[in-house]
Amino acid sequence: MADQAIPATGREWHLTARPQGWPTPEDFALREAPVQQPGPGQILVRNAYMSVDPYMRGRMNDVKSYVPPFQLDRPMDGGAVGRVVASRAEGFAVGDAVLHGLGWREYALLDAERAVKVDADAAPLSYFLGVLGMPGLTAYAGLLEVGSFKEGDAVFVSGAAGAVGGLVGQIARLKGASRVVGSAGSAEKVAKLVDEYGFDDAFNYKDGPVAEQLAKAAPDGVDVYFDNVGGEHLEAAIGAMNVHGRAVLCGAIAQYNDTEPPAAPRNLVQVIGKRLRLQGMLVADHAGLQQQFTEEVAGWLRDGRLRYDETVVDGIDGAVDAFLGMLRGANTGKMVVRLAG
């Protein structure tokens, strides 16, 4: 297939100021940039979908972390999937669907070795940013490898209606959990966890103290806690966990925009007596599970045993609103931005 007609410019989002507390639209700018032709070994991709994820908030701070901070007045980046529109790389043809890390822009020029071809016939392209992508592998590896889940464990998931949490609970159910409990931020999300995702119980953390609601939902305690929230949720989970319980510390979205240190957890001394294991996780450490994860999760999707939701915002213009909405819990499932058909 010949290279497609390519516009002279495309739009991309830049970070223009480091947020203090909650980001605002004024911290970002949507700018025109030249679309470059690929050089040897490179491909040009028209992005079809881009991802907005909680970890991106940390990259807006100028601090050393496991992933470099965004540079001011430069294009931001993140997960994206799209179609090759020009190629000078062996093994990549115009029309191929690829997953890569140069989101937040309409057109991405990159070395082909930094892209992975995906099967657009196997699932919708956006799924490779969610259930078959980084959030899916995070849920799978976090529960089974980091959390050492075993059949019969009782599992509690915070942020359970989000991109990762909803998958954690369903995987636990499919793997034989004795009880699966989740928290979410609205009555609608709580109902979805029970009625559609198969959680045994769920509660709205806004309805009262998390510890009290968790004690009712998991009266026999918790063996594995998958933490997407931090703060009060982590404190409540420590209090509810059984001896030799494991907590997977995946995210702490409740405090990403705080300007003061969190008050909780205040009960870390219980970790000693209960012999608990609290372990942080980064999905990049678990690439060895990729093939097993893809095969098993794709099978569950095919036979309808795994439900998957995504919240889609149309147009690159809406990317910042999508990101800010995700931080506030406006999404059910994975939040993605559709850039092209």
Side-chain angles (χ1 to χ4, degrees):
M1 189 184 297
D3 288 0
Q4 299 177 2
I6 298 164
T9 62
R11 293 174 293 172
E12 56 188 31
W13 279 102
H14 291 205
L15 185 69
T16 58
R18 304 242 176 244
Q20 300 299 313
W22 282 90
T24 68
E26 290 70 34
D27 296 324
F28 308 86
L30 184 59
R31 293 170 173 165
E32 292 275 344
V35 176
Q36 306 285 349
Q37 291 288 342
Q42 292 187 319
I43 56 175
L44 179 67
V45 179
R46 185 186 185 197
N47 285 335
Y49 293 88
M50 56 162 274
S51 180
V52 291
D53 300 290
Y55 80 89
M56 294 175 176
R57 176 60 187 88
R59 297 190 65 193
M60 293 172 186
N61 301 327
D62 190 15
V63 296
K64 186 176 181 180
S65 184
Y66 62 90
V67 62
F70 292 129
Q71 298 180 46
L72 292 181
D73 296 307
R74 298 287 301 159
M76 296 190 295
D77 56 73
V81 64
R83 297 275 186 179
V84 175
V85 293
S87 174
R88 292 188 62 192
E90 188 176 343
F92 288 83
V94 171
D96 283 349
V98 295
L99 177 69
H100 62 89
L102 294 184
W104 291 95
R105 66 199 80 187
E106 292 178 307
Y107 287 86
L109 177 68
L110 65 150
D111 294 336
E113 63 188 22
R114 295 171 58 198
V116 177
K117 284 200 281 190
V118 297
D119 184 358
D121 295 325
L125 281 182
S126 58
Y127 280 32
F128 294 98
L129 297 175
V131 63
L132 294 175
M134 181 267 287
L137 181 58
T138 300
Y140 188 89
L143 178 69
L144 302 180
E145 198 160 79
V146 181
S148 304
F149 172 86
K150 60 184 182 298
E151 187 176 354
D153 280 342
V155 177
F156 171 46
V157 188
S158 59
V164 174
L167 298 174
V168 172
Q170 292 185 79
I171 293 169
R173 174 177 53 78
L174 288 164
K175 292 287 189 179
S178 61
R179 189 165 184 81
V180 179
V181 173
S183 71
S186 72
E188 293 77 15
K189 290 180 178 180
V190 166
K192 179 178 281 288
L193 293 177
V194 175
D195 298 339
E196 297 184 29
Y197 291 177
F199 281 58
D200 295 290
D201 203 352
F203 59 86
N204 183 346
Y205 66 86
K206 298 174 183 176
D207 286 348
V210 175
E212 293 179 10
Q213 296 195 76
L214 178 58
K216 293 176 183 175
D220 295 323
V222 172
D223 300 300
V224 178
Y225 170 50
F226 198 104
D227 189 18
N228 293 303
V229 175
E232 183 188 0
H233 274 81
L234 179 56
E235 182 175 287
I238 290 171
M241 288 175 78
N242 296 322
V243 171
H244 297 301
R246 290 86 68 200
V248 181
L249 307 184
C250 178
I253 198 168
Q255 58 205 60
Y256 285 166
N257 298 296
D258 289 350
T259 55
E260 298 293 330
R266 297 161 295 185
N267 56 346
L268 283 173
V269 67
Q270 293 187 38
V271 173
I272 301 169
K274 294 183 178 183
R275 285 85 85 198
L276 304 181
R277 190 180 84 211
L278 279 60
Q279 183 172 341
M281 80 159 291
L282 295 178
V283 68
D285 295 340
H286 304 278
L289 282 178
Q290 183 71 48
Q291 184 175 349
Q292 175 186 322
F293 150 74
T294 302
E295 291 174 357
E296 191 160 22
V297 171
W300 289 332
L301 285 169
R302 275 194 304 272
D303 63 24
R305 288 194 290 164
L306 184 71
R307 294 292 298 269
Y308 177 61
D309 284 292
E310 56 184 4
T311 302
V312 180
V313 173
D314 270 310
I316 194 169
D317 312 66
V320 166
D321 288 341
F323 172 71
L324 298 177
M326 176 273 305
L327 288 179
R328 292 188 168 92
N331 55 302
T332 298
K334 181 76 183 77
M335 179 77 88
V336 295
V337 180
R338 180 163 41 211
L339 306 181

